[in-house]
Amino acid sequence: MDVYDYDPLRALQIVDSAVIVGNLSEVQGDLVRAIVYSKTLAGAQLDSFLQKRAPGSQPFSEGVRFDSARVIGERLLTYDSIRADLPLQQDVLEILVGAARQHKDTLLWLQRAQQLVEVCHRQGDDAEPEALRTEAEVGAALCRMGQRERGMAQLDSVLAIFENHEHRQFNWLDTYVVTSKRKLKAMSDAGRDLEALPLALRVIERLDDYEQHPQDYHDGTYHEPKDDTERDDYIRFYRSQIQAFITAVHASLGHQGSVEETYQQIERTILEIGRAHV
């Protein structure tokens, strides 16, 4: 798995060899192959951004990647060992959700996303952030598809869980930040930037708390940054995006009066929204 991101063909050869010598079962081999096919895109995008690729490495075409991931993933769901193991089902469904998304097959994507949510819910609290993350993605997609009321309701239902419970774990924090970003985008698209400002400010507060108390958020999940540098990059990345949104809201109101009047309008809106939720 250390190899797949820069040389997927070599990674598949390693998997084949591991299956042949018995270090991986056929089911395990198929699961790793599906991961290689489905996740190689991230490496390709990074390579393009950084203008680098390991010498001799060979990329897959997009069609090959996601067709192969889908075919293998669907085969995996027929195996008894997968159907009897909820975490493995979750792994496979995450692959199939990603493949359907990249293929822009909306109906199949929604179907797989709902299956993923159900499997996560059946695992209890440990997998709950993944269920919420997927529900938020579906909500954002519904907004983009023109079903704005339904999509917003789904985003609100996910965020309500975070408003009622203080989860100082990274996976919960990450799900909250990602869900909040999705709602901020949906509200901005609807011309409701000012109403979204309190949510943006709450995200900044959560990121600040994570920066000040990183050990309190340590949960060992694969989403969590591996070291101080990755953590700083994570905080900087999301904080800059949210602050850019806040700055844009301020700028859009600036022409309506003085800076003082602008901030007073923002404060009034925050108070009004706060009272509406009491």
Side-chain angles (χ1 to χ4, degrees), residues 37-89:
Y37 279 118
S38 66
K39 294 191 178 296
T40 299
L41 176 64
Q45 290 176 331
L46 184 62
D47 287 341
S48 175
F49 178 70
L50 297 177
Q51 296 298 305
K52 71 175 185 179
R53 179 173 288 280
S57 64
Q58 300 181 51
F60 293 130
S61 70
E62 185 170 305
V64 168
R65 279 198 304 268
F66 296 116
D67 281 339
S68 299
R70 178 183 56 79
V71 169
I72 296 172
E74 289 174 350
R75 182 168 70 239
L76 282 165
L77 288 181
T78 68
Y79 295 156
D80 290 339
S81 58
I82 298 292
R83 288 188 294 198
D85 190 314
L86 289 175
L88 285 179
Q89 279 189 54

Side-chain angles (χ1 to χ4, degrees), residues 206-274:
R206 294 285 181 95
L207 290 171
D208 288 346
D209 188 63
Y210 176 45
E211 185 175 44
Q212 294 162 15
H213 308 282
Q215 289 307 311
D216 292 349
Y217 284 84
H218 177 64
D219 60 8
T221 55
Y222 71 92
H223 289 291
E224 186 177 3
K226 297 179 179 62
D227 52 38
D228 292 348
T229 299
E230 286 193 10
R231 182 176 65 248
D232 291 343
D233 289 343
Y234 175 91
I235 294 170
R236 187 182 306 111
F237 176 77
Y238 283 112
R239 181 185 282 149
S240 64
Q241 290 190 336
I242 302 301
Q243 286 179 335
F245 175 85
I246 294 171
T247 300
V249 174
H250 290 184
S252 69
L253 295 171
H255 68 279
Q256 298 179 15
S258 69
V259 173
E260 182 179 356
E261 291 171 340
T262 297
Y263 277 94
Q264 288 175 349
Q265 182 177 353
I266 292 170
E267 289 174 358
R268 284 195 300 272
T269 301
I270 293 173
L271 289 173
E272 289 168 2
I273 293 173

Side-chain angles (χ1 to χ4, degrees), residues 38 66 92-104 109 112 137:
S38 66
F66 296 116
V92 174
L93 286 168
E94 286 178 356
I95 290 167
L96 290 172
V97 167
R101 182 196 305 114
Q102 294 298 331
H103 265 158
K104 296 179 173 56
W109 173 71
R112 294 302 189 192
E137 183 180 357

